[in-house]
């Protein structure tokens, strides 16, 4: 097989003469040819423009004049003119070496794809995927079976007692013992929650997400929901961070970068913080509510309505361009094991790096506050707030932990389900889901959106969460509901 | 009825003032003195010192000529595949003889285009606002196609730079063949070997000649 050494595409006379004029004015050395630099500059490439302003400052005005003069000779943008020329060249090459045969019949993957993007068949498919992936795998397998075994048996019966004995035998100071193996200690509160409760749930979620991602389903989901998402100021593209948020909102907040405009990024960040529960939280809430189907339905309704209502209002209030949607649909394919493993692995490592330190840190903070006796006064400060939404004093600790991590708060609620009524459980679960994102997510919000935006979102969410909690409590008690 | 020479003057004046975003332009640049005098007399233009400016009736007249010219260009370019130079010359002649009815038919046939092949705006007619459709529409935007329809992209609107970038990124460019797979809730179509999904707004900036 012979190889083409280089391919030189010639443009029309106007562009070629502009390149010839600009060439000698470029005196610095560049990593690409001067011809390419000139071509990019003619197309108004921002980076090249910045580079030339610095490197060719003495000749920049002349270069710019040549470009402006050339551009004025065309009525279309030059990047379009150049792209069209390249397209012609590419087609010429392709046609000389490729022949396409019409497939006798539509392949199965294409048939499946058409079923997925047609709303009549696509929405039931989506529901099945959610039910199997989220409910059965993440909820039942991850949050149920695996957590039971790892937390209950592995940690509860073997690891924790082992270290507790060890600490009692070798650490003479009671307070240091508490720090390590106490009720709020690093081992009990930090490592057990992180590794035994959160890790299996989030781990399974990441596996499921990676499989779905690798099949090429997500772009199809995007086009399916685009019209709906436009109503809340987002494009179909936003479905990816939203679904990822069901795994980890912190990671999803980072992924909102892929949204096109600042307006979309802000709305997506707000909705993630407010109405998208992460997998760990979902798992625990599903667990608490499994015996209360009516409570679960109420919870789903309030969260979904909040998502739509706040999204809709945000899209009305926030200034900026309306979102637009475009996406390439890659062919559907079987997920590749190596891809799924690599993606899950990288996400898990990221999550552990992000989560473990925070869990340990929270344990240390709680231990320290207990030690100096600050814990009780903070808790009694929160008590009026939880009483306001009809919850007993004890739930104050749930909300305090909820601030450190959402899932952490939900897990605290898990321990308390026996002392709460159905209505109280529902109100607590709703408020906690809407309530402040965990510290890690808030830090990511500050990093991605800036202090001002993140702060405003935080204040709004606290007010909204407790407001909804208050109303829900009043309504449920008012109609005498038993959930 | 205004003479051909007068129409040429009005057309130039439109390009200089409306397209060029000026209020008036140099008298000498737009045409011969006797033609200009006639137009001043018929109250199509007014003079401002050395410059001339379109009046309301002159604006309406010029608008029609420009519309005919640019629609004719579109017709030659999109449907008849006429080369650039021929397209320009012929459009210059045709613009004077097209009746209102024929102009409307061409506009409908071409799917009510908003830009001429050079990317300049085509002043919309009544038919554009009503979005009249006809059975023989040859060129239409992807947003107006039905499921299963096939065609070739003849142009994409290049004035909305943001959309253009997206189309170029997906390889949706003139010359590519297109088949519409689905129109709701989003537009999905096959272009070359790729499948893309876009919303109505972007679908509306891709124009296709039906196969």
């Amino acid at each position: 097989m012979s190889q083409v050494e280089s391919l030189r595409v010639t443009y029309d006379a106007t562009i070629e003469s502009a390149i010839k004029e600009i060439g000698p004015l470029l005196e610095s050395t560049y990593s690409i040819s001067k011809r390419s630099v000139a071509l990019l500059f003619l197309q108004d490439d921002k980076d090249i423009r910045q580079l030339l302003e610095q490197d060719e400052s003495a000749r920049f005005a002349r270069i710019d004049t040549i470009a402006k003069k050339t551009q004025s000779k065309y009525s279309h943008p030059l990047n379009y003119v150049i792209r069209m020329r390249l397209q012609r060249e590419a087609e010429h090459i392709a046609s000389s070496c490729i022949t396409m045969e019409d497939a006798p019949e539509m392949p199965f993957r294409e048939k499946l794809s058409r079923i997925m993007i047609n709303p009549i068949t696509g929405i039931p498919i989506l529901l099945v995927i959610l039910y199997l992936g989220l409910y059965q795998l993440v909820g039942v397998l991850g949050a149920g079976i695996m957590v039971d075994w790892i937390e209950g048996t592995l940690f509860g019966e073997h690891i924790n007692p082992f270290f507790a004995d060890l600490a009692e035998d070798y650490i003479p100071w009671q307070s240091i013992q508490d720090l390590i193996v106490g009720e709020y200690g690093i081992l009990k509160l930090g490592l057990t929650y992180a590794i035994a409760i959160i890790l299996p749930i989030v781990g399974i979620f990441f596996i499921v997400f990676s499989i779905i991602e690798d099949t090429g389903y997500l772009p199809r989901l995007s086009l399916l929901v685009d019209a709906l998402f436009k109503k809340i100021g987002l494009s179909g593209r936003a479905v990816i961070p939203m679904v990822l948020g069901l795994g980890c909102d912190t990671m999803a907040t980072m992924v909102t970068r892929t949204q096109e405009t600042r307006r979309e990024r802000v709305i997506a960040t707000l909705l993630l913080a407010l109405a998208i529960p992460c997998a760990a939280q979902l798992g625990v809430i599903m667990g608490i509510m499994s015996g209360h189907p009516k409570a679960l339905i109420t919870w789903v309704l309030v969260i979904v309505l909040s998502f739509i209502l706040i999204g809709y209002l945000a899209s009305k209030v926030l200034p900026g361009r309306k979102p637009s949607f475009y996406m390439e649909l890659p062919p559907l394919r079987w997920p590749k094991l190596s891809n799924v493993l690599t993606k899950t692995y990288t996400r898990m490592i990221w999550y552990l790096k992000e989560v473990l330190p925070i869990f340990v840190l929270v344990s240390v903070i709680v231990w320290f506050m207990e030690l100096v006796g600050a814990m009780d006064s903070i808790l009694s400060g929160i008590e009026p707030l939880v009483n306001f939404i009809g919850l007993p004093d004890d739930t104050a600790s749930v909300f305090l932990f909820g601030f450190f991590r959402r899932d952490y708060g939900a897990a605290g609620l898990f321990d308390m389900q026996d002392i709460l009524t159905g209505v109280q459980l529902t109100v607590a679960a709703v408020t906690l889901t809407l309530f402040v994102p965990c510290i890690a997510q808030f830090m990511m919000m500050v990093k991605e959106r800036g202090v001002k935006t993140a702060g405003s979102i935080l204040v709004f969410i606290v007010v909204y969460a407790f407001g909804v909690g208050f109303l829900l409590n009043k309504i449920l008690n008012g109609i005498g509901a038993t959930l | 009825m205004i003479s051909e020479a007068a129409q040429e003057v009005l057309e130039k004046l439109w390009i200089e003032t409306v397209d060029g975003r000026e209020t008036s332009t140099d008298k000498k640049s737009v045409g011969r003195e006797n033609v200009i005098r006639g137009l001043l007399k018929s109250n199509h233009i007014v003079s401002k010192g050395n410059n001339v400016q379109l009046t309301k009736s002159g604006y309406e007249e010029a608008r029609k000529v420009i519309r005919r010219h640019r629609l004719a260009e579109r017709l030659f370019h999109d449907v008849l595949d006429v080369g650039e130079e021929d397209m320009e010359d012929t459009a210059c002649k045709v613009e004077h003889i097209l009746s209102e009815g024929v102009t409307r038919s061409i506009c409908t046939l071409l799917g009510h285009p908003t830009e001429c092949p050079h990317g300049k705006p085509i002043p919309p007619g009544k038919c554009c606002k009503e979005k009249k459709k006809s059975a023989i529409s040859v060129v239409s935007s992807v947003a107006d196609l039905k499921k299963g329809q096939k065609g070739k992209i003849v142009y994409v609107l290049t004035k909305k730079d943001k959309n253009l970038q997206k189309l170029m990124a997906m390889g949706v460019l003139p010359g590519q063949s297109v088949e519409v797979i689905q129109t709701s809730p989003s537009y999905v179509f096959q272009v070359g070997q790729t499948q893309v999904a876009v919303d109505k707004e972007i679908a509306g900036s891709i124009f296709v000649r039906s196969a």
Side-chain angles (χ1 to χ4, degrees):
Chain A
M1 227 169 79
S2 72
Q3 251 191 338
V4 185
E5 287 98 33
S6 76
L7 175 70
R8 172 87 172 235
V9 181
T10 316
Y11 298 93
D12 63 31
T14 315
I15 292 175
E16 285 297 336
S17 82
I19 296 170
K20 266 204 203 85
E21 275 183 77
I22 291 175
L25 295 172
L26 301 172
E27 288 178 8
S28 307
T29 43
Y30 298 93
S31 52
I32 51 174
S33 72
K34 289 190 174 166
R35 182 182 169 83
S36 306
V37 174
L39 269 170
L40 282 169
F41 189 79
L42 285 171
Q43 296 175 74
D44 273 337
D45 184 279
K46 275 191 203 117
D47 296 330
I48 287 290
R49 194 179 173 83
Q50 230 176 5
L51 195 71
L52 293 202
E53 252 172 327
Q54 274 172 23
D55 293 2
E56 314 287 350
S57 54
R59 295 160 299 281
F60 185 76
R62 272 159 73 200
I63 299 173
D64 202 30
T65 314
I66 297 169
K68 288 267 158 21
K69 214 175 71 202
T70 312
Q71 287 163 351
S72 74
K73 289 186 184 147
Y74 294 85
S75 44
H76 295 297
L78 268 188
N79 58 355
Y80 176 74
V81 176
I82 286 169
R83 180 63 199 266
M84 283 305 294
R85 174 73 189 90
L86 290 174
Q87 172 94 359
R88 256 213 338 268
E89 188 70 27
E91 261 162 27
H92 176 73
I93 297 169
S95 69
S96 69
C97 53
I98 301 175
T99 50
M100 297 298 296
E101 274 174 38
D102 283 338
E105 204 190 334
M106 197 191 287
F108 171 71
R109 64 173 68 183
E110 185 53 29
K111 279 185 195 156
L112 185 62
S113 166
R114 306 256 166 128
I115 293 172
M116 281 175 170
I117 59 176
N118 184 335
I120 299 165
T121 41
I123 289 168
I125 290 176
L126 169 63
L127 294 178
V128 168
I129 291 175
L130 284 180
Y131 172 77
L132 288 180
L134 218 57
Y135 185 81
Q136 286 296 342
L137 286 176
V138 179
V140 175
L141 178 66
I145 299 168
M146 285 178 68
V147 169
D148 277 351
W149 186 77
I150 299 180
E151 194 211 2
T153 312
L154 194 64
F155 272 79
E157 287 170 22
H158 301 285
I159 298 178
N160 288 354
F162 172 75
F163 281 104
D165 291 346
L166 215 63
E168 267 170 43
D169 290 348
Y170 292 98
I171 301 173
W173 307 282
Q174 179 64 36
S175 60
I176 301 293
Q177 256 185 46
D178 284 347
L179 173 64
I180 297 169
V181 294
E183 197 191 343
Y184 297 123
I186 293 175
L187 186 67
K188 183 87 186 294
L189 195 98
L191 295 180
T192 310
Y193 273 12
I195 296 173
I197 300 185
I198 308 309
L199 196 67
I201 301 177
V202 176
I204 299 256
F205 178 88
F206 284 153
I207 293 175
V208 172
F209 187 81
S210 303
I211 292 174
I212 293 176
E213 193 183 29
D214 209 49
T215 58
Y217 178 66
L218 290 176
R220 286 164 176 85
L221 178 58
S222 300
L223 79 91
L224 209 53
V225 300
D226 178 57
L228 206 73
F229 269 38
K230 289 270 168 67
K231 300 238 180 343
I232 55 171
L234 296 172
S235 84
R237 239 164 227 277
V239 86
I240 293 165
M242 292 300 154
V243 174
L244 189 57
L246 292 171
C248 174
D249 280 309
T250 310
M251 191 182 279
T253 304
M254 190 173 75
V255 170
T256 57
R257 268 180 216 175
T258 56
Q259 302 305 299
E260 229 190 318
T261 62
R262 175 169 162 81
R263 180 173 181 261
E264 287 163 74
R265 290 192 286 269
V266 170
I267 295 178
T269 306
L270 167 66
L271 291 178
L272 282 171
L274 183 75
I276 302 288
C278 63
Q281 204 180 20
L282 262 179
V284 180
I285 283 173
M286 294 291 174
I288 299 168
M289 300 212 159
S290 56
H292 308 261
K294 278 189 268 178
L296 186 62
I297 292 170
T298 315
W299 177 82
V300 170
L301 277 181
V302 177
I303 301 300
V304 169
L305 280 178
S306 294
F307 181 82
I308 296 170
L309 177 76
I310 297 307
Y312 177 76
L313 292 179
S315 76
K316 292 281 163 205
V317 173
L318 289 173
R321 249 175 342 108
K322 284 212 168 78
S324 72
F325 174 70
Y326 68 102
M327 207 169 226
E328 220 179 289
L329 301 183
L332 285 176
R333 63 166 193 202
W334 280 108
K336 262 173 123 171
L337 186 66
S338 59
N339 288 352
V340 172
L341 290 181
T342 317
K343 283 177 189 172
T344 310
Y345 176 76
T346 7
R347 289 195 174 112
M348 289 303 289
I349 292 296
W350 182 90
Y351 187 80
L352 285 178
K353 269 192 195 152
E354 204 58 36
V355 166
L356 262 185
I358 291 176
F359 269 60
V360 172
L361 186 71
V362 171
S363 302
V364 176
I365 291 171
V366 173
W367 165 80
F368 181 76
M369 288 195 298
E370 287 246 290
L371 193 72
V372 299
M375 195 67 173
D376 289 335
S377 52
I378 294 177
L379 284 178
S380 59
I382 304 175
E383 276 162 16
L385 218 55
V386 297
N387 293 338
F388 172 71
I389 58 171
L391 297 179
D393 292 348
D394 288 347
T395 50
S397 63
V398 172
F399 283 89
L400 182 61
F401 291 149
F403 179 71
F404 291 114
R405 282 200 70 85
R406 278 182 163 196
D407 37 50
Y408 220 53
L413 198 61
F414 192 81
D415 295 336
M416 227 171 264
Q417 52 182 321
D418 296 332
I419 60 162
L420 298 177
T421 67
V423 171
Q424 285 173 330
L425 262 181
T426 315
V427 172
V430 164
T431 313
L432 206 64
T433 309
L434 295 175
F435 184 56
V436 193
C438 66
I439 274 196
Q441 188 183 349
F442 183 68
M443 290 189 319
M444 186 60 81
M445 283 160 66
V446 172
K447 199 173 136 206
E448 294 288 319
R449 295 292 94 77
V451 181
K452 233 176 89 186
T453 310
S456 317
I457 292 179
L458 182 74
V459 171
F460 170 77
I461 285 174
V462 174
V463 173
Y464 182 84
F466 279 93
V468 169
F470 176 76
L471 280 178
L472 190 63
N473 180 50
K474 285 282 172 228
I475 293 168
L476 290 178
N477 281 322
I479 59 172
T482 50
L483 300 172
Chain B
M1 187 65 196
I2 307 170
S3 71
E4 280 191 20
Q7 288 184 1
E8 296 282 355
V9 170
L10 291 175
E11 190 180 7
K12 271 195 196 122
L13 200 48
W14 173 283
I15 292 165
E16 293 294 328
T17 58
V18 180
D19 288 344
R21 293 175 201 284
E22 301 281 343
T23 49
S24 63
T25 190
D26 190 356
K27 206 180 282 189
K28 291 188 195 86
S29 70
V30 288
R32 287 203 311 274
E33 209 170 312
N34 60 332
V35 185
I36 291 181
R37 223 178 300 132
L39 281 168
L40 282 165
K41 216 164 150 194
S42 61
N43 205 22
H44 283 100
I45 56 176
V46 285
S47 78
K48 295 259 155 114
N50 275 337
N51 283 11
V52 281
Q53 187 180 331
L54 288 167
T55 63
K56 197 160 183 255
S57 67
Y59 178 91
E60 284 309 319
E61 244 359 278
R63 191 174 185 282
K64 283 182 202 157
V65 181
I66 290 285
R67 179 169 154 77
R68 292 197 291 267
H69 179 93
R70 290 182 183 166
L71 278 174
E73 283 181 343
R74 271 261 82 102
L75 179 69
F76 299 144
H77 176 272
D78 300 349
V79 183
L80 306 176
D81 272 334
V82 174
E84 185 108 350
E85 230 159 88
D86 267 354
M87 167 182 95
E88 193 60 55
D89 290 351
T90 322
C92 276
K93 287 172 195 152
V94 167
E95 68 186 37
H96 306 296
I97 54 169
L98 291 177
S99 74
E100 196 128 319
V102 174
T103 309
R104 197 162 49 231
S105 303
I106 292 175
C107 187
T108 308
L109 188 77
L110 299 178
H112 307 287
T114 57
E115 275 179 16
C116 80
H118 307 97
K120 289 187 177 156
I122 300 175
K126 228 171 132 190
C127 62
C128 303
K129 281 181 201 115
E130 293 162 5
K131 269 266 169 202
K132 275 220 171 87
K133 285 197 184 112
S134 83
I136 50 149
S137 200
V138 177
V139 177
S140 51
S141 80
V142 171
D144 290 329
L145 289 180
K146 288 190 190 73
K147 186 176 171 171
Q149 280 192 299
K150 289 179 192 174
K152 201 166 198 141
I153 302 179
V154 276
Y155 63 101
V156 296
L157 297 185
T158 58
K159 282 294 112 120
K160 285 180 184 159
D161 203 33
K162 268 267 171 173
N163 284 353
L164 179 65
Q165 292 295 345
K166 292 165 195 165
L167 294 174
M168 290 202 306
M170 294 188 294
V172 178
L173 286 168
Q176 300 272 43
S177 59
V178 160
E179 182 182 351
V180 177
I181 293 169
Q182 183 173 309
T183 57
S184 165
S186 304
Y187 290 84
V188 182
F189 54 92
Q190 179 92 30
V191 53
Q193 296 305 307
T194 321
Q195 260 184 35
V196 294
V198 297
D199 60 18
K200 194 174 173 122
E201 199 211 321
I202 295 182
S205 61
I206 308 162
F207 284 80
V208 170
R209 181 173 67 204
S210 312

